[in-house]
Amino acid sequence: MTVQLTTPDGMFQPVPYHHVSIATGSRHVHVAGQINRDADAHRLAPGDLTGQLAHALRNTARGLAGAGATFSDVVRLRFFVVGWEPEQMDAFLAGIDEVADELGIPRPLPPLSVIGVSYLFEPDVLVEVEAYAVVD
């Protein structure tokens, strides 16, 4: 499977992600929203966005691996962040930076959306990550 990440001329820059992904392959992998919990539902990070995002991305990598995929197969990421404000961008990017090398997250990132929400399913959860990948 091949994922080509690109940002065509004339699209808004600079952003830390590509605007377009082009994938070839036959299996589509959808990883449901991942948060800062381990297999036993223990909390893995305190109430900070950076730490929670790093753990959620690790869980996303586990989900991808379970389907025979990696972050290099991801064609789209979606982040839901409680109380999102543009001022949180540094903390958000720090969470990605913390695990990018460890998890093989490509830079610039695949196409993504950061969606602000009022709350997630538990009061201490600040971020949830969804991933979509295409593999052979």
Side-chain angles (χ1 to χ4, degrees):
M1 199 286 306
T2 303
V3 175
Q4 176 189 355
L5 300 174
T6 184
T7 295
D9 289 341
M11 296 189 85
F12 175 71
Q13 284 295 314
V15 291
Y17 57 88
H18 285 287
H19 285 277
V20 178
S21 61
I22 303 162
T24 58
S26 57
R27 289 189 313 120
H28 292 240
V29 177
H30 299 261
V31 179
Q34 297 301 301
I35 61 169
N36 67 323
R37 300 290 193 271
D38 66 10
D40 298 318
H42 295 114
R43 290 174 180 85
L44 297 174
D48 74 273
L49 179 60
T50 298
Q52 286 199 17
L53 181 53
H55 287 296
L57 286 166
R58 286 185 180 106
N59 285 337
T60 302
R62 286 182 189 96
L64 290 166
T70 68
F71 273 101
S72 66
D73 301 308
V74 170
V75 297
R76 178 150 183 70
L77 292 167
R78 185 170 293 137
F79 300 87
F80 298 93
V81 182
V82 173
W84 176 256
E85 298 283 339
E87 296 78 24
Q88 293 174 288
M89 184 58 82
D90 288 343
F92 178 84
L93 292 174
I96 294 170
D97 288 341
E98 185 174 315
V99 295
D101 290 339
E102 168 191 339
L103 302 177
I105 298 173
R107 293 303 192 91
L109 297 160
L112 63 83
S113 296
V114 178
I115 301 165
V117 296
S118 298
Y119 58 89
L120 291 165
F121 70 98
E122 290 185 19
D124 67 319
V125 175
L126 300 177
V127 62
E128 188 172 305
V129 181
E130 293 179 350
Y132 308 92
V134 177
V135 294
D136 286 329

